[in-house]
Amino acid sequence: MGGAEPESAQVDRLPGWVTLLRAPNPGPMTLDGTNTWILRAPGSDYATVIDPGPLDEGHLRRIAEHGPFQFILITHGHHDHVEGAERLSGILGGTPVLAVDPAHCRHGEPLDPREHLGGNGLEITVLDTPGHTSDSVCFLVECGDDRVVFTGDTILGRGTTVVARPDGDLSSYLSSLALLCAYPNVLMLPGHGPARSDTAERANFYLDHRRERLAQVAAAMAAGAETPAAVVDLVYPDIDPAVRFAAEWSAAAQIDHLLRESGKGLRESGTGTDRLDRL
């Protein structure tokens, strides 16, 4: 069922310019709730917020108390990260909401992966990390001597991430994890779960986990499993029924990846899409 968690320490103390406000939406697919991150460089008049979370009026009002904001940034378009963005922008009088997907933008242009957002004492680089969703990005933020990567759902602080068709793509996801391996000893602040001290170490753990899973799925397919449900029966024999759907989403993406690599093309499946997998 996957290798041991990496040794990168969970981090309780954040840099002084970072504030965590956790949304009140805990659950099996959101862990302790969505992490909303507020960034304000020392002495700056304006802050930046990453992932305002669900449409929860109390949570959005707590975010607004930390304004004014230069930007509202979105790591990806799942509702537990972006649903409250338009309402927050309205509370703040029209603060721009910036995301890769134009459907989630308000009062601003879509993010161009690899672009740089400067000003107010922060240097923000948009990292192109599709895979969990087609619009997923991470943010490398530099403030003084500090460097932090905000990973959204691409890497979590606990457990691993579902890559579910049709919007998710495992081949792209593996490439995104390889990109994040380039940030050793850089603090990782995820969309769910605790902060971690080493982005690269956690990215390498995710890559190892995925390779192990792919080997197990390949063996299941060789044994005759042709559907996500059949793969789950072999690879996850003791799966909790409450999260079996997430395992089937993951299995569908893994089957597609293996078929693509073997040159056999994609196999259709009836699985849905969503986000977090702690399997």
Side-chain angles (χ1 to χ4, degrees), residues 17 39 47-50 70-71 73 111 114-119 121-127 138-143 150:
W17 51 276
L39 324 178
T48 293
V49 59
I50 297 176
Q70 182 181 14
F71 306 118
L73 299 180
L111 291 170
R114 296 175 296 276
E115 79 172 290
H116 298 268
L117 305 172
L122 302 175
E123 292 295 328
I124 303 174
T125 302
V126 184
L127 303 179
C138 298
F139 298 105
L140 171 65
V141 182
E142 298 175 80
C143 181
F150 294 85

Side-chain angles (χ1 to χ4, degrees), residues 63-76:
I63 297 171
E65 290 173 359
H66 292 263
F69 293 100
Q70 182 181 14
F71 306 118
I72 300 167
L73 299 180
I74 305 298
T75 61
H76 68 292

Side-chain angles (χ1 to χ4, degrees), residues 100 112 126-127 189-190 217 244:
V100 167
D112 177 12
V126 184
L127 303 179
L189 301 183
V217 172
R244 181 184 172 94

Side-chain angles (χ1 to χ4, degrees), residues 74 148 171 206 222 270:
I74 305 298
V148 176
S171 299
Y206 267 47

Side-chain angles (χ1 to χ4, degrees), residues 48-126:
T48 293
V49 59
I50 297 176
D51 287 347
L55 185 57
D56 179 279
E57 192 72 13
H59 179 62
L60 298 177
R61 292 288 178 182
R62 286 192 294 274
I63 297 171
E65 290 173 359
H66 292 263
F69 293 100
Q70 182 181 14
F71 306 118
I72 300 167
L73 299 180
I74 305 298
T75 61
H76 68 292
H78 281 148
H79 73 276
D80 59 311
H81 292 257
V82 73
E83 185 183 42
E86 183 172 16
R87 173 59 179 153
L88 178 62
S89 177
I91 292 172
L92 296 169
T95 297
V97 180
L98 306 182
V100 167
D101 187 342
H104 302 306
C105 295
R106 298 292 183 271
H107 313 295
E109 296 298 317
L111 291 170
D112 177 12
R114 296 175 296 276
E115 79 172 290
H116 298 268
L117 305 172
N120 293 296
L122 302 175
E123 292 295 328
I124 303 174
T125 302
V126 184

